[in-house]
Amino acid sequence: MKKYILTFIYSMLLTGKVSASDNFADSHIHFNWDHREETSVEEVVDILRQHNVGLTIVAGTPSELALELREQGGEWIIPFFSPYIHESGKRDWYKDEEVVKRAESGLKNGQYYGIGEVHFMNGFLPKIDNPIFLQLIKLADKYNVPMLIHIDSGNEITFQQLCLANPNIRFIFAHAGGNLRPDYIEKILNRCDNVWIDFAARDPWRYGGISKDDYTLLPDWKTLVLKYPERFITGTDPVWKVTRWSTWDTGDEGWTHYKKLYDYHWTWLNDLPEEVRKKIAWENTQTLLNK
Ligand SMILES: [Zn+2]
């Protein structure tokens, strides 16, 4: 079924029913409990449609919020299983066997098409040898689905261990442009064919790190992208609370900033040659989901 949907989208593209120049695979979005306090499921789907998003990868906290989005919007919305199965699941998922049970049942019954986003923060638990995480990797292998991984680390070694140890699994390296400079990312790309690099949340209003003042890519990043055009994807990641002095019990208005984030990504994309732009904005995400 998944293959059929993506083939259908692709055939629409080839027959010209969808314009490749403006269709966007938003490959990293979230719909979390605190988003829903500000923006409804219906509103989120409308926002995506208004921006010609033809494909999107979504993770929810709790996980099943991603399913609500698909139910409302349709098969172009691709839910990943989030190990954060309750509102504060990000804090304790790695000690909770229930996470593995829910992942297995959701993958088995075809509700989810990937696993993630999973965060590993420098100096904090868990580490990538955590038993719950290792079981999630096994499930990704068993059900042949990709994993979206966020590793904050000072060098490429941790991520490289992960992708080398699991060559059958397609990994998305979330939020490139932080600690790891382009030369570290190139090492990962060189050594692991099973990795795609994601630029989500690297806009100037949050983490920055990839672009100049005019929002086009910094020279080293542009060089890397042009060298590996098939290995990059991007997404808006409309989680806004990350840099605000807000308390964690208030809503997240990230979805109200969607246009700004979307326009930002198109600005650097439009600075790339057309073939490369099409790959990053649209085709690479299909490849990674469909492989
Ligand atoms: Zn994210």
Side-chain angles (χ1 to χ4, degrees):
M1 189 60 184
K2 181 176 70 181
K3 280 216 162 111
Y4 168 75
I5 297 155
L6 294 172
T7 311
F8 175 64
I9 293 170
Y10 198 56
S11 65
M12 286 171 72
L13 182 70
L14 290 178
T15 54
K17 285 180 187 155
V18 174
S19 161
S21 61
D22 61 10
N23 209 346
F24 185 51
D26 192 339
S27 306
H28 190 137
I29 67 171
H30 294 279
F31 186 53
N32 300 334
W33 65 273
D34 49 351
H35 281 129
R36 195 168 55 174
E37 291 178 353
E38 303 282 329
T39 313
S40 69
V41 180
E42 293 81 1
E43 285 167 333
V44 168
V45 169
D46 283 348
I47 290 167
L48 292 168
R49 285 206 175 112
Q50 282 158 15
H51 290 84
N52 289 319
V53 174
L55 187 64
T56 186
I57 294 173
V58 56
T61 301
S63 196
E64 61 267 18
L65 285 184
L67 303 178
E68 287 186 27
L69 219 55
R70 181 177 170 100
E71 209 167 286
Q72 174 70 27
E75 291 169 340
W76 52 279
I77 296 176
I78 310 294
F80 274 21
F81 173 80
S82 161
Y84 312 151
I85 59 175
H86 57 86
E87 287 183 7
S88 53
K90 199 172 179 176
R91 293 184 206 153
D92 64 8
W93 68 273
Y94 59 93
K95 300 181 270 189
D96 188 355
E97 281 290 338
E98 180 65 21
V99 167
V100 181
K101 281 187 213 148
R102 293 217 201 157
E104 170 112 56
S105 80
L107 291 166
K108 197 175 188 173
N109 67 24
Q111 286 179 300
Y112 293 104
Y113 299 81
I115 296 174
E117 180 177 6
V118 190
H119 296 79
F120 296 93
M121 297 317 200
N122 219 357
F124 291 90
L125 288 175
K127 306 292 179 202
I128 59 165
D129 60 354
N130 169 262
I132 302 289
F133 182 59
L134 294 178
Q135 291 182 78
L136 292 178
I137 291 179
K138 276 199 184 136
L139 290 176
D141 194 17
K142 181 174 174 187
Y143 292 97
N144 189 26
V145 295
M147 297 187 88
L148 172 59
I149 308 289
H150 176 162
I151 293 186
D152 258 355
S153 163
N155 57 46
E156 79 289 359
I157 292 169
T158 312
F159 198 91
Q160 201 168 275
Q161 279 171 351
L162 186 64
C163 59
L164 286 174
N166 301 284
N168 294 332
I169 295 178
R170 287 109 66 206
F171 288 104
I172 302 169
F173 179 103
H175 312 301
N179 293 334
L180 297 197
R181 295 186 306 266
D183 48 336
Y184 289 113
I185 297 292
E186 183 161 20
K187 287 184 195 169
I188 293 172
L189 286 169
N190 265 329
R191 297 207 64 190
C192 295
D193 287 343
N194 52 330
V195 174
W196 282 259
I197 306 293
D198 154 38
F199 280 142
R202 288 291 165 197
D203 53 84
W205 304 282
R206 290 174 295 169
Y207 300 110
I210 59 165
S211 56
K212 302 188 277 190
D213 289 348
D214 66 357
Y215 301 168
T216 61
L217 290 179
L218 290 165
D220 288 356
W221 282 113
K222 190 170 176 181
T223 305
L224 191 66
V225 162
L226 294 177
K227 193 168 169 188
Y228 299 87
E230 265 137 35
R231 308 288 295 282
F232 286 85
I233 61 174
T234 198
T236 56
D237 191 7
V239 172
W240 208 250
K241 289 207 310 194
V242 286
T243 56
R244 289 193 316 159
W245 297 104
S246 59
T247 55
W248 286 96
D249 56 357
T250 59
D252 185 326
E253 86 277 20
W255 279 96
T256 65
H257 298 286
Y258 190 84
K259 186 184 184 321
K260 184 161 77 172
L261 303 173
Y262 173 91
D263 288 346
Y264 165 76
H265 286 279
W266 273 112
T267 304
W268 65 261
L269 285 166
N270 280 325
D271 179 51
L272 301 172
E274 190 184 352
E275 282 307 300
V276 177
R277 182 174 73 230
K278 276 189 197 169
K279 281 185 169 50
I280 299 172
W282 182 247
E283 295 167 13
N284 293 348
T285 306
Q286 297 182 57
T287 308
L288 104 87
L289 289 171
N290 205 6
K291 207 170 171 184

PDB file of all heavy atoms in Angstrom, residues 28 30 117 119 175 237, ligand 1:
ATOM      1  N   HIS A  28      10.022  16.670   8.193  1.00  0.00           N
ATOM      2  CA  HIS A  28      10.222  16.666   9.651  1.00  0.00           C
ATOM      3  C   HIS A  28       9.214  17.627  10.285  1.00  0.00           C
ATOM      4  O   HIS A  28       9.458  18.820  10.388  1.00  0.00           O
ATOM      5  CB  HIS A  28      11.653  17.115   9.961  1.00  0.00           C
ATOM      6  CG  HIS A  28      12.064  16.919  11.395  1.00  0.00           C
ATOM      7  ND1 HIS A  28      13.297  16.413  11.754  1.00  0.00           N
ATOM      8  CD2 HIS A  28      11.407  17.162  12.563  1.00  0.00           C
ATOM      9  CE1 HIS A  28      13.391  16.361  13.074  1.00  0.00           C
ATOM     10  NE2 HIS A  28      12.251  16.815  13.597  1.00  0.00           N
ATOM     11  N   HIS A  30       6.203  17.920  13.618  1.00  0.00           N
ATOM     12  CA  HIS A  30       5.681  17.334  14.844  1.00  0.00           C
ATOM     13  C   HIS A  30       4.280  17.854  15.079  1.00  0.00           C
ATOM     14  O   HIS A  30       3.953  18.984  14.710  1.00  0.00           O
ATOM     15  CB  HIS A  30       6.549  17.716  16.050  1.00  0.00           C
ATOM     16  CG  HIS A  30       7.920  17.149  15.992  1.00  0.00           C
ATOM     17  ND1 HIS A  30       8.210  15.856  16.364  1.00  0.00           N
ATOM     18  CD2 HIS A  30       9.099  17.687  15.595  1.00  0.00           C
ATOM     19  CE1 HIS A  30       9.508  15.632  16.197  1.00  0.00           C
ATOM     20  NE2 HIS A  30      10.068  16.726  15.732  1.00  0.00           N
ATOM     21  N   GLU A 117      10.808  10.730  16.207  1.00  0.00           N
ATOM     22  CA  GLU A 117      12.183  11.115  16.380  1.00  0.00           C
ATOM     23  C   GLU A 117      12.677  10.634  17.754  1.00  0.00           C
ATOM     24  O   GLU A 117      11.950  10.741  18.739  1.00  0.00           O
ATOM     25  CB  GLU A 117      12.294  12.653  16.273  1.00  0.00           C
ATOM     26  CG  GLU A 117      13.678  13.213  16.440  1.00  0.00           C
ATOM     27  CD  GLU A 117      13.652  14.745  16.232  1.00  0.00           C
ATOM     28  OE1 GLU A 117      12.560  15.353  16.080  1.00  0.00           O
ATOM     29  OE2 GLU A 117      14.735  15.343  16.242  1.00  0.00           O
ATOM     30  N   HIS A 119      15.715  11.220  20.532  1.00  0.00           N
ATOM     31  CA  HIS A 119      16.754  12.198  20.879  1.00  0.00           C
ATOM     32  C   HIS A 119      17.804  11.598  21.811  1.00  0.00           C
ATOM     33  O   HIS A 119      17.462  10.964  22.812  1.00  0.00           O
ATOM     34  CB  HIS A 119      16.138  13.406  21.608  1.00  0.00           C
ATOM     35  CG  HIS A 119      15.181  14.184  20.771  1.00  0.00           C
ATOM     36  ND1 HIS A 119      13.890  13.768  20.547  1.00  0.00           N
ATOM     37  CD2 HIS A 119      15.313  15.363  20.106  1.00  0.00           C
ATOM     38  CE1 HIS A 119      13.275  14.655  19.781  1.00  0.00           C
ATOM     39  NE2 HIS A 119      14.112  15.636  19.493  1.00  0.00           N
ATOM     40  N   HIS A 175      18.428  17.447  11.923  1.00  0.00           N
ATOM     41  CA  HIS A 175      18.949  18.778  12.291  1.00  0.00           C
ATOM     42  C   HIS A 175      20.443  18.976  12.055  1.00  0.00           C
ATOM     43  O   HIS A 175      21.150  19.508  12.922  1.00  0.00           O
ATOM     44  CB  HIS A 175      18.667  19.074  13.781  1.00  0.00           C
ATOM     45  CG  HIS A 175      17.277  18.789  14.210  1.00  0.00           C
ATOM     46  ND1 HIS A 175      16.187  19.404  13.645  1.00  0.00           N
ATOM     47  CD2 HIS A 175      16.778  17.969  15.171  1.00  0.00           C
ATOM     48  CE1 HIS A 175      15.091  18.963  14.231  1.00  0.00           C
ATOM     49  NE2 HIS A 175      15.413  18.089  15.154  1.00  0.00           N
ATOM     50  N   ASP A 237       9.754  21.492  10.909  1.00  0.00           N
ATOM     51  CA  ASP A 237       9.829  21.196  12.346  1.00  0.00           C
ATOM     52  C   ASP A 237       9.238  22.317  13.206  1.00  0.00           C
ATOM     53  O   ASP A 237       9.960  22.985  13.954  1.00  0.00           O
ATOM     54  CB  ASP A 237      11.283  20.939  12.745  1.00  0.00           C
ATOM     55  CG  ASP A 237      11.400  20.367  14.153  1.00  0.00           C
ATOM     56  OD1 ASP A 237      10.361  20.040  14.763  1.00  0.00           O
ATOM     57  OD2 ASP A 237      12.530  20.269  14.658  1.00  0.00           O
TER      58      ASP A 237
HETATM   59 ZN    ZN B   1      12.125  17.192  15.588  1.00  0.00          ZN
END
